[in-house]
């Protein structure tokens, strides 16, 4: 779109933000404009993820957190994720029912997202929506995941602070939850403190943590009753004391890599024109996907080798820049083993083979998503430059390509 | 990418608490593949406007059994005042025929009376979603 999209988002214009979320969810070409608009405006908000089992009190805790944060003068955006039906794709988004008392507060923006088939506890667009709220100037972004079992730990990658809700009285199941989401928590919140089992759950968690020997990971346990407010002040104080802002971007390598990669991809006109999308990113490793479209086909009605190379090269380029230091390709080659038809989805997985101060070596495996068939293998050598990655960011591109 | 499902708010404004009908409608729209933002009864008009804005709703469904439909025109002007005249509003429940014209005149897209088939409701919500997105596309 235009420059004013960035300005309207940064100003926190609520309708623009609401409609931009729909664009991000749809994943259409307007989503690219939105990602580009917000790419350079990240890392100010404190992103707090709230996860835990269904019925554990997540929404009630989120509501109590909104109340406490508002009393402390913070503006709050909430991303509430509910599951979509695996059969019809429909959903009833009811989490905001429990946030009723904040519905009319102008300092609170609540958006419900349906998971739309995405596994991991969030929705496909959730990470982008978090970034959007961050760019729009909200002090705190609260993310409520779908009811989590053992593997819905995706929130780990996107939150500065991870809250794992542990309701009392789940008996033996508490053991299972502890084993499942144990490692992602910064704080365990024992909810429903008014129930008789709450103290036992709290002490079980404490004693379990006492057995941990990982010195770099020191989660705390807090007991609250969100409905009466008991324990909420202590929890809010603890949240306030965290070195919060931008943590997800600065200290954790994987999150920093994701931010860099997202920004680069959003600003890459060629990559965008091919319809390339990010699947995942960590330092040195990037996975992308691309659907083979009509304009990718060669005279023989198969996917053009150049399109496949461009796809692999994009993955390689993002992987070698993911550390945040500018790198540029100096040599590359590709072998192709399978012809690809129009409409197929391709996956490119770039991995870092080696990297020194000046030279990096990368490999990209391209497969067909439908059956995992091997399509192509790329290798490349990059030269690491002595400056950080620069993304053209939110400035509108006037036909000129990105310097990379 | 797949088309976005319709986003529909199913709510009740005013003092009437009879919400069985709105629950039936919410479940029916969900089963038709739509994303339904469901609220309990007794919502205030400014809250519904803010809700529709934040959720980028295509359609608002107001359920009314005990004369709450009479305040729907106020919802319509509140939506227009907020620059959200593109959001489509339907009313379902007990609406005397003599009041229907008042609602339609205030901008309500459709009034559903008792005995309406759920298929008709689904078809109408789909059509209104398409209409709203077209209006949006035109103004963007």
């Amino acid at each position: 779109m235009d420059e004013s999209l960035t300005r309207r988002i940064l100003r926190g214009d609520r309708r623009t933000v609401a409609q931009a979320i729909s664009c991000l969810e749809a994943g259409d070409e307007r989503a690219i404009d939105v990602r580009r608009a917000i790419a350079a405006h990240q890392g100010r908000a404190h992103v707090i993820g709230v996860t835990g089992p269904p019925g554990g009190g997540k929404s009630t805790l989120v509501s109590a957190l909104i109340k406490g944060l508002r009393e402390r003068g913070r503006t709050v955006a909430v991303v509430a994720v509910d599951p979509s039906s695996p059969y019809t794709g429909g959903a009833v988004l009811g989490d905001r029912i429990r946030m009723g008392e904040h519905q009319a507060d102008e300092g609170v923006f609540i958006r419900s997202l349906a998971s739309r088939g995405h596994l991991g506890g969030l929705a496909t667009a959730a990470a982008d929506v978090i970034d959007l709220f961050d760019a729009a100037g909200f002090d705190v972004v609260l993310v409520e995941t779908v009811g989590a079992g053992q593997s819905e730990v995706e929130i780990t990658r996107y939150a500065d602070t991870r809250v794992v809700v542990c309701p009392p009285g789940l008996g033996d199941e508490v053991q299972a939850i502890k084993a499942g989401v144990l490692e992602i928590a910064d704080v365990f919140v024992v909810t429903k403190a008014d129930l008789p089992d709450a103290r036992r759950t709290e002490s079980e968690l404490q004693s379990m943590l006492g057995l941990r020997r990982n010195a770099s990971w020191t989660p705390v346990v807090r007991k609250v009753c969100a409905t009466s407010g008991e324990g909420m002040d202590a929890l809010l104080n603890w949240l306030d004391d965290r070195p919060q802002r931008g943590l997800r971007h600065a200290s954790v390598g994987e999150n920093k890599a994701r931010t860099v990669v997202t920004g680069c991809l959003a600003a890459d006109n060629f990559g965008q024109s091919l319809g390339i999308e990010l699947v995942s990113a960590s330092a040195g490793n990037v996975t992308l996907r691309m659907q083979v479209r009509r304009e990718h086909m060669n005279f023989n009605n198969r996917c053009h080798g150049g399109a496949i190379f461009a796809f692999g090269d994009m993955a390689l380029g993002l992987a070698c820049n993911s550390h945040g230091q500018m790198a540029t390709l100096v040599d590359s080659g590709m072998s192709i083993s399978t012809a690809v038809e129009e409409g197929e989805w391709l996956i490119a997985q770039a991995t870092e083979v080696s990297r020194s101060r000046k030279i990096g070596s990368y490999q990209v495996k391209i497969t067909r998503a439908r059956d995992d068939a091997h399509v192509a293998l790329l290798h490349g050598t990059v030269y690491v430059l002595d400056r950080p990655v620069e993304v053209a960011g939110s400035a509108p591109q006037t036909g000129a390509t990105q310097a990379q | 990418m797949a088309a976005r499902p319709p986003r529909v708010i199913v709510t009740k404004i005013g003092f009437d608490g009879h919400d069985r009908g709105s629950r039936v409608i919410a479940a029916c729209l969900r089963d038709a593949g739509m994303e339904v933002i469901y609220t309990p009864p007794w919502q205030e008009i400014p809250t519904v406007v803010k809700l529709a804005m934040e959720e980028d709703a295509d359609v608002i469904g107001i359920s009314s059994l005990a004369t709450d439909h009479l305040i729907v025109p106020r919802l319509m002007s509140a939506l227009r005042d907020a620059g959200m005249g593109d959001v489509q509003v339907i009313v379902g429940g007990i609406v005397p025929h003599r009041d229907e014209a008042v609602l339609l005149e205030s901008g309500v897209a459709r009034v559903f009376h008792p005995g309406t088939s759920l298929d008709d409701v689904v078809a109408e919500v789909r059509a209104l979603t398409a209409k709203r997105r077209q209006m949006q596309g035109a103004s963007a």
Side-chain angles (χ1 to χ4, degrees), chain A residues 14-15 18-19 22 25-27 88 90-93 96-97 103 105 108-112 114 116 289, chain B residues 1 4-5 7 30-31 33-38 40 47 50-51 53-56 83-84 86 132 136:
Chain A
R14 306 176 77 88
R15 279 209 87 189
Q19 289 170 359
S22 298
E25 279 198 289
T88 65
V92 171
L93 306 169
R96 57 183 301 154
I97 291 174
Q103 301 283 14
D105 182 347
V108 179
F109 191 124
I110 304 171
R111 179 62 174 247
S112 318
R116 297 192 184 170
R289 66 175 192 167
Chain B
M1 295 263 93
R4 266 190 311 137
R7 286 177 71 88
R30 176 202 62 200
D31 290 345
M34 302 184 187
E35 291 181 357
V36 181
I37 297 101
Y38 173 84
T47 309
K50 182 168 179 277
L51 176 67
M53 192 263 292
E54 291 178 353
E55 297 288 358
D56 194 18
M84 294 166 62
D86 55 327
R132 190 249 174 179
Q136 263 197 321

Side-chain angles (χ1 to χ4, degrees), chain B residues 73 76 80 99-111:
Chain B
M76 300 311 295
R80 275 192 297 273
D99 292 343
E100 183 169 342
V102 178
L103 295 189
L104 295 177
E105 211 163 290
S106 76
V108 170
R110 180 80 185 266
V111 176

